[in-house]
Structures are given as structure tokens and as C-alpha cells.
């Protein structure tokens, strides 16, 4: 039986070893917890779509802000996780997204100097094509992030302030929440929680640090990059929960062009995923362990609203509205046991 060895942070930012077992011999293990909510990455539009979905579910009588015993957030989903765990009702979170005016398409004067976005994603695809394993890919992406710090590093404090402004509170919630990042030097998983000795703002800044676009932050002497480099969703971190609800803004966008049968057009299409890091593999492993898993990805209306540029702030309001409409429909199939 294969095992994946990674690291979880402990108090003081140090790492402790643990083992993820992707396949278990029995499909009926003893599950110790009830409900986990997994929030995947997907840029500014993905965050807004997730808030819309959660508000739509709540409007239909299924409030994940209360039901979730664990929330796992990756990249933009880390911001969503902090919002969901803030104690603010889902309807108010949605109203906040809808009340913020978006700037003109493609304009973001607050962004510090960076490589052209198309160049960044082409570099990511090249790194993926050359990688021999998931950890090799993650290390190479970390090296890319560190390389780009020569240009982006001076904007680190400003970047942290931008992230802090998005969070309802700078403090970790009392209820369990995991924020996922990747160690830029080793390529290993960093799963931050309230006991990690890392501020929530720093954890979310690390989880959203996409190499080439924003600075690669340093926390307690270690640099981190976006948790989506390991997996868009990191749904495997919900292992042990009887019910898992995954909101995945990227859905099938991260498949390679050959898997989709067409040349990919958006930012995240064509980014390579090794077995065990893609959502399908992680969901299969969770179900093998006995979890009931429901995966919600953007429907056609939501995909159209989110657009091809998921980083564009102008797509947030349409994405949130489409997510709300989709969430009210999805509530009929989200059930727990």
C-alpha cells in the first residue's frame, strides 16, 4: 500500500511528520467527525462564487457556516474559509461582496509590479511538464516564487495588508479551520491552524501567494507559496469526516489539454496534476475511507459569470450572483449521514 509523507506545522512554525494513506483496506472505517467543508482555490471570482454558493445553500435551509465541523481553505478558498468561520451570517457575507464596486475590467492599480499574467501561467505549465513527481513540481514552483521575490519582495508588507483587509477578523476562529500552503524550499505541505504559532493573516497570505504574481512570504524563517500548487482543493485533508462538501471553483479547469480534448483557454487550464493531487483522486480516496462526498463545481451560468480571468475583480459580483442561484439549486442534493 502506498503512502504519502508530508508535514504539518506545529507551535512555533516547526513541522511535524504525518502520513496520508490514499487507499485503505476497508470501505467502512470508524469515522470520528461529522461534516467537513473544503473550499478550493480560484482567484477573486472563485472566492465570490464560493460565498454565493454558501449563501444560496443557507437560503435554502442548509447553512454550512453552522454545519461544518471543519473548514479547509486553499488559496482563494483560504480567504473564504476565514470569512465563513467569522461568525458573520452567509447572507451578510454575500451582501458584502455585492456591495463592493468593481473597477474596470483588467484594471488593478493596487497590484505591485509583477510578471505578465500570461507569462506566469506559461512558466507554470513548463514547470509542470518538466516535473517528475508532485513534490518535484512543488519544489520547482517554490523556486520560481523565490526567484520572483527579487522583483516582488519589496511589496510583501503591502501584500499582507491587502490580505488582512479582506478578512473579517485577524484572529483564528475557535472552531477548527485549516489553511493550506506549500513550503517553497522543500515543496512540502503546510497545513496551518490556530495551534501552528502562525497569525491567521500570515497563513492566508501564504496560502494565496501565487508564484510570479505576488511576493513569496516568509513566516518564522520559512518561505511559502500558494497551497493550490499542491492541489487546487486539498480535499484529502478532510479525511476522517463522515460527510465532506467540496466547493471547487476550478472544477475541471486544471486538467491537461489532452485530457479535455481541446486547447485550453483560461489561466488554470493545462496545469499539471499528478495522481493523488487532483480532485477526482482525492474524492475517490475519501469515499474509499467511508466518507460521503458531495462536490460542487461551477455550472454553465457560473462559469460564464466567472469568466476566463478569475483574478479580475470585475467578475466578482457576477460570480457571486451566479453562485447564489446555483447554491439554492444544489441544496437538494447535499445531505448528511
Amino acid at each position: 500500500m502506498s503512502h504519502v509523507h508530508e508535514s504539518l506545522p506545529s507551535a512555533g512554525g516547526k513541522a511535524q511528520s504525518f502520513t496520508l494513506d490514499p487507499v485503505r483496506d476497508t470501505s467502512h472505517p470508524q469515522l470520528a467527525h461529522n461534516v467537513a467543508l473544503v473550499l478550493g482555490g480560484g482567484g477573486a471570482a472563485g472566492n465570490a462564487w464560493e460565498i454565493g454558493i454558501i449563501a444560496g445553500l443557507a437560503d435554502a435551509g442548509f447553512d454550512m457556516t453552522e454545519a461544518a465541523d471543519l473548514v479547509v481553505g486553499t488559496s482563494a478558498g483560504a480567504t473564504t474559509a476565514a470569512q465563513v468561520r467569522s461568525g458573520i451570517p452567509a447572507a451578510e457575507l454575500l451582501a458584502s461582496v455585492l456591495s463592493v464596486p468593481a473597477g474596470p475590467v483588467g484594471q488593478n492599480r493596487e497590484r505591485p509590479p509583477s510578471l505578465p499574467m500570461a507569462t506566469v501561467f506559461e512558466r507554470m505549465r513548463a514547470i509542470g511538464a518538466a516535473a517528475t513527481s508532485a513534490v518535484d513540481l512543488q519544489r520547482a514552483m517554490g523556486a520560481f516564487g523565490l526567484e520572483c521575490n527579487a522583483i516582488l519582495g519589496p511589496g510583501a508588507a503591502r501584500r499582507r495588508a491587502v490580505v488582512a483587509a479582506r478578512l473579517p477578523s485577524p484572529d483564528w476562529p475557535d472552531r477548527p479551520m485549516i489553511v493550506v500552503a506549500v513550503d517553497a524550499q522543500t515543496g512540502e505541505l503546510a497545513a496551518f491552524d490556530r495551534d501552528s504559532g502562525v497569525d491567521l493573516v500570515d497563513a492566508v497570505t501564504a496560502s494565496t501567494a501565487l508564484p510570479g504574481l505576488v511576493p513569496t512570504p516568509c513566516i518564522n524563517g520559512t518561505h511559502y507559496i500558494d497551497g493550490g500548487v499542491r492541489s487546487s482543493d486539498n480535499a484529502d485533508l478532510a479525511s476522517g469526516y463522515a460527510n465532506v462538501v467540496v466547493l471547487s471553483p476550478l472544477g475541471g479547469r486544471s486538467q491537461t489539454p489532452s485530457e479535455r480534448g481541446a486547447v485550453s483557454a483560461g489561466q488554470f487550464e493545462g496545469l499539471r496534476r499528478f495522481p493523488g493531487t487532483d480532485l477526482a483522486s482525492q474524492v475517490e480516496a475519501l469515499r474509499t475511507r467511508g466518507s460521503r462526498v458531495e462536490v460542487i463545481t461551477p455550472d454553465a451560468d457560473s462559469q460564464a459569470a466567472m469568466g476566463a480571468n478569475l483574478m479580475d475583480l470585475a467578475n466578482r459580483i457576477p460570480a457571486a450572483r451566479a453562485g447564489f442561484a446555483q447554491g439554492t439549486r444544489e441544496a437538494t442534493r447535499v445531505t448528511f449521514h
Side-chain angles (χ1 to χ4, degrees):
M1 183 183 299
S2 61
H3 294 74
V4 180
H5 297 279
E6 305 216 48
S7 298
L8 280 173
S10 58
K14 296 180 180 179
Q16 60 186 27
S17 178
F18 81 110
T19 299
L20 292 179
D21 182 358
V23 180
R24 190 178 282 188
D25 289 333
T26 174
S27 61
H28 302 286
Q30 183 66 38
L31 298 177
H33 307 286
N34 192 24
V35 182
L37 173 63
V38 175
L39 300 166
N47 165 258
W49 174 79
E50 288 176 330
I51 292 296
I53 288 285
I54 290 167
L57 290 172
D59 189 68
F62 201 85
D63 190 354
M64 290 300 298
T65 68
E66 294 293 334
D69 299 299
L70 170 71
V71 178
V72 178
T74 297
S75 194
T79 302
T80 312
Q83 294 164 334
V84 167
R85 276 296 197 228
S86 68
I88 298 174
E92 292 184 25
L93 292 174
L94 176 62
S96 179
V97 175
L98 298 179
S99 66
V100 177
V105 174
Q107 179 175 318
N108 189 344
R109 294 179 179 175
E110 295 301 314
R111 187 182 294 279
S114 66
L115 296 172
M117 195 174 295
T119 301
V120 170
F121 282 97
E122 283 305 312
R123 177 73 178 273
M124 290 182 180
R125 292 184 182 98
I127 289 171
T132 58
S133 69
V135 173
D136 183 46
L137 184 152
Q138 289 154 212
R139 287 196 195 104
M141 290 285 282
F144 175 43
L146 293 171
E147 170 193 328
C148 293
N149 258 10
I151 297 172
L152 306 178
R158 184 182 185 185
R159 167 66 182 170
R160 187 183 188 278
V162 168
V163 172
R166 297 171 179 165
L167 307 184
S169 169
D171 301 320
W172 284 94
D174 292 330
R175 300 182 68 193
M177 181 177 79
I178 295 173
V179 172
V180 186
V182 170
D183 185 312
Q185 280 91 9
T186 67
E188 293 178 331
L189 165 72
F192 297 115
D193 61 20
R194 63 178 294 110
D195 298 320
S196 298
V198 172
D199 289 345
L200 176 60
V201 174
D202 288 327
V204 177
T205 300
S207 185
T208 56
L210 195 63
L213 294 185
V214 298
T216 298
C218 184
I219 305 173
N220 298 331
T222 301
H223 286 85
Y224 295 95
I225 57 172
D226 196 303
V229 168
R230 175 184 184 264
S231 165
S232 299
D233 307 281
N234 291 290
D236 54 329
L237 297 185
S239 179
Y241 283 77
N243 303 278
V244 180
V245 178
V246 181
L247 305 189
S248 181
L250 297 182
R253 291 181 188 241
S254 60
Q255 292 178 331
T256 63
S258 61
E259 287 172 325
R260 301 187 71 198
V263 176
S264 45
Q267 295 154 324
F268 293 92
E269 285 87 347
L271 295 181
R272 187 176 184 184
R273 294 294 179 193
F274 283 86
T277 66
D278 62 291
L279 180 58
S281 296
Q282 293 178 348
V283 168
E284 181 180 0
L286 288 169
R287 288 173 175 160
T288 298
R289 294 185 177 101
S291 297
R292 179 189 180 99
V293 185
E294 293 290 349
V295 178
I296 299 177
T297 60
D299 61 13
D301 290 340
S302 290
Q303 286 189 35
M306 293 166 73
N309 184 358
L310 300 180
M311 308 296 185
D312 196 331
L313 298 179
N315 294 334
R316 283 180 57 77
I317 289 177
R321 287 174 173 158
F324 178 80
Q326 183 182 352
T328 59
R329 297 189 295 271
E330 298 284 4
T332 59
R333 70 179 179 90
V334 179
T335 58
F336 296 157
H337 62 209

